[in-house]
Amino acid sequence: MIRTMVKKPIFMIGMPRSGTTIISEAISLHPDLGWFSNYLGRYPNLPEVALLDRVTNHPFIGWRLRGKKNQSKGITSYLRRFFPHTDEAFSIWEKNCGKKFLWDYLIDQKASKKESVKAKDYISRILRYQNKQRFFTKLTGPPRITYLKSIFPDAIFVHVIRDPRAVVSSLKNVAFWKGGKGLIEPWWKNGLTKKDIDEWKNYGKTPAALSAVQWKRVIELTWEEKTALNPKQFIEIRYEDFVINPHGSVQNLFNKMKLTDSILAHQYLSSLGKARNMNYKFQKNLTDNEIQIIEKITKKTASKAGYIFKD
């Protein structure tokens, strides 16, 4: 099979529960973009299943078949489980780059020649099966910018950032974080500094402190690693700004990614109704003490991102 060149792939990055799902679902509807699907994530050794994605790439009914994220509920959210839709598909990255891609911060690490070839060949096949020009995916957690740039030098990174109090609140209650020991031990390895660990210990090793420390570390590391990129390769968007103006935000993202605007993305956003800022939930889900802990740990980093906490 002739390899399709992987040019200017787009990686959406950010902490889990930062709003990456709704934004990535809209972006993935662009007719030029290929992506990893939930089926590919389930069967990473069968890249041919990407041919199924053509069903949900239909210009008139495709975005409806792909449905909405589970939190949206309703019939389209129910049907979503049966149709191909964009997925982080970490099993594919594990297959091509090893377990370290899933669980390590990958600070200053570059892909081996073998890993690079495997990743490029796999994505090339997916683009060919989907008949798409460029690749898009989201990858939550550590930025992995250095590693991914070593494979795709011209990659574009879209960083989604959200109020740390809302992120910690959501992580505290989401099933994968609780079931995966995210409440009692660091989620990723080889990334937290001694200062981070000490800060977590100073607050009694509470779940709120642990998530807050990791939010801070992931954001700061993202800003550190972006310095190795051409400024045009890094785009940052706040969840709160997206909620205020989802259509304008997506249109702006397409422009910065050198893509035409997409009517399908806007149809999808319109189908969601008026966007709601869900940050208010943290005031109900967190205790006053937990909120204070999060604010103390993240205050300096959060302020650089535009989140100002009252003293």
Side-chain angles (χ1 to χ4, degrees):
M1 178 181 290
I2 299 175
R3 177 194 289 183
T4 300
M5 294 297 292
V6 183
K7 298 180 180 179
K8 296 184 179 180
I10 303 163
F11 297 98
M12 181 167 285
I13 58 177
M15 272 291 286
R17 316 307 293 174
S18 292
T20 55
T21 297
I22 186 173
I23 302 175
S24 66
E25 286 181 344
I27 295 297
S28 71
L29 284 161
H30 194 285
D32 291 344
L33 297 179
W35 31 268
F36 290 153
S37 72
N38 49 318
Y39 280 98
L40 275 171
R42 195 178 305 169
Y43 306 109
N45 293 320
L46 294 174
E48 295 80 8
V49 301
L51 289 167
L52 294 173
D53 303 337
R54 295 195 181 199
V55 175
T56 54
N57 281 327
H58 190 283
F60 299 109
I61 63 173
W63 66 271
R64 294 181 174 85
L65 291 177
R66 281 162 68 172
K68 304 181 180 69
K69 62 179 184 175
N70 296 336
Q71 295 97 315
S72 299
K73 300 181 180 180
I75 186 64
T76 55
S77 290
Y78 174 77
L79 292 175
R80 172 186 170 88
R81 70 186 68 182
F82 302 108
F83 291 97
H85 58 266
T86 183
D87 189 87
E88 291 188 71
F90 274 109
S91 59
I92 294 174
W93 294 104
E94 180 180 0
K95 168 182 168 60
N96 293 302
C97 302
K99 283 186 177 296
K100 66 179 183 296
F101 192 93
L102 281 63
W103 304 112
D104 199 292
Y105 275 79
L106 297 178
I107 297 176
D108 295 327
Q109 290 192 45
K110 296 182 179 180
S112 67
K113 183 176 180 180
K114 180 179 180 181
E115 292 166 350
S116 180
V117 169
K118 288 177 66 176
K120 286 189 286 191
D121 283 349
Y122 194 98
I123 292 176
S124 173
R125 295 181 70 181
I126 300 308
L127 292 177
R128 187 174 178 86
Y129 288 136
Q130 295 176 336
N131 192 28
K132 298 296 181 178
Q133 299 176 24
R134 290 175 65 183
F135 177 72
F136 168 80
T137 194
K138 78 160 181 164
L139 291 167
T140 53
R144 310 177 181 89
I145 290 174
T146 299
Y147 185 91
L148 290 168
K149 184 177 181 292
S150 72
I151 304 174
F152 309 102
D154 59 352
I156 293 174
F157 296 87
V158 180
H159 181 216
V160 181
I161 189 169
R162 185 183 185 185
D163 188 313
R165 297 167 298 185
V167 172
V168 172
S169 172
S170 187
L171 287 173
K172 178 183 175 182
N173 293 288
V174 75
F176 79 84
W177 196 259
K178 293 191 292 185
K181 296 184 178 180
L183 301 180
I184 59 176
E185 61 185 41
W187 192 261
W188 305 281
K189 304 179 186 302
N190 303 317
L192 295 182
T193 65
K194 182 179 184 301
K195 182 179 178 181
D196 295 327
I197 297 296
D198 289 343
E199 193 165 29
W200 172 39
K201 291 179 179 178
N202 289 339
Y203 286 104
K205 286 191 172 183
T206 61
L210 177 57
S211 294
V213 163
Q214 291 176 102
W215 180 92
K216 180 178 68 172
R217 183 60 174 140
V218 167
I219 302 303
E220 291 179 346
L221 184 59
T222 301
W223 291 340
E224 290 174 17
E225 293 194 346
K226 79 170 184 176
T227 59
L229 300 171
N230 180 306
K232 293 183 178 180
Q233 290 180 265
F234 186 84
I235 305 166
E236 191 162 83
I237 179 174
R238 297 198 320 166
Y239 160 82
E240 295 80 8
D241 296 330
F242 167 80
V243 171
I244 292 173
N245 184 12
H247 290 279
S249 296
V250 166
Q251 185 176 20
N252 185 51
L253 286 174
F254 283 141
N255 180 54
K256 290 184 176 181
M257 294 185 290
K258 302 303 179 184
L259 291 166
T260 59
D261 201 5
S262 170
I263 189 173
L264 299 179
H266 292 292
Q267 287 177 335
Y268 170 78
L269 291 172
S270 295
S271 75
L272 298 175
K274 182 176 175 57
R276 297 178 60 199
N277 187 331
M278 305 305 287
N279 284 1
Y280 72 91
K281 288 187 174 182
F282 80 79
Q283 295 177 320
K284 297 181 180 180
N285 296 334
L286 298 173
T287 66
D288 290 342
N289 185 55
E290 287 176 321
I291 293 175
Q292 290 175 7
I293 289 174
I294 297 165
E295 291 180 348
K296 288 179 181 178
I297 292 174
T298 66
K299 183 176 182 179
K300 184 177 180 180
T301 305
S303 66
K304 292 181 180 179
Y307 302 102
I308 307 302
F309 304 143
K310 297 179 180 179
D311 292 327

